Amino acid sequence: MSEDQRSLALSTKVEEDFVAPLAALRGALEILRDFPELEDDERARFVGTALRGCSHLERAIEELASSVYAASEQTGQRDAVDPLSPEQQD
């Protein structure tokens, strides 16, 4: 795979795993903020969209952290901070 292909693949992955769900999450939250008069069913739909966006981002971050940790093990840099360690989370 060429450098350009790798760059495009990474760009696509970032868009799918981070940018798109973040945009959906932000959009849902802005609608909830800007339209307090929404009916309960409409409000529930936007809350569901926001929660799905959060879940997608959580999975993407866990996958990224696992990949980084696996790569650090392969390169012998296991002394680096474990991205999955509960002690490292705020």
Side-chain angles (χ1 to χ4, degrees):
M1 182 182 279
S2 74
E3 185 64 31
D4 287 342
Q5 289 172 320
R6 277 193 294 271
S7 180
L8 179 60
L10 177 61
S11 218
T12 301
K13 180 85 170 144
V14 167
E15 171 67 29
E16 290 173 355
D17 287 350
F18 296 99
V19 177
L22 184 58
L25 176 60
R26 182 182 184 109
L29 291 173
E30 286 176 349
I31 288 170
L32 290 169
R33 178 197 63 204
D34 295 343
F35 298 95
E37 70 280 358
L38 286 174
E39 297 292 327
D40 288 344
D41 60 329
E42 292 176 313
R43 182 168 295 285
R45 186 171 55 113
F46 287 109
V47 167
T49 297
L51 290 172
R52 282 188 302 280
C54 286
S55 293
H56 188 96
L57 286 169
E58 286 174 336
R59 285 189 305 274
I61 290 167
E62 287 171 1
E63 181 181 308
L64 178 62
S66 293
S67 296
V68 168
Y69 187 63
S72 72
E73 285 184 321
Q74 289 177 351
T75 60
Q77 297 178 348
R78 190 129 191 245
D79 297 340
V81 174
D82 178 355
L84 299 177
S85 171
E87 294 83 34
Q88 302 302 322
Q89 298 176 1
D90 291 329

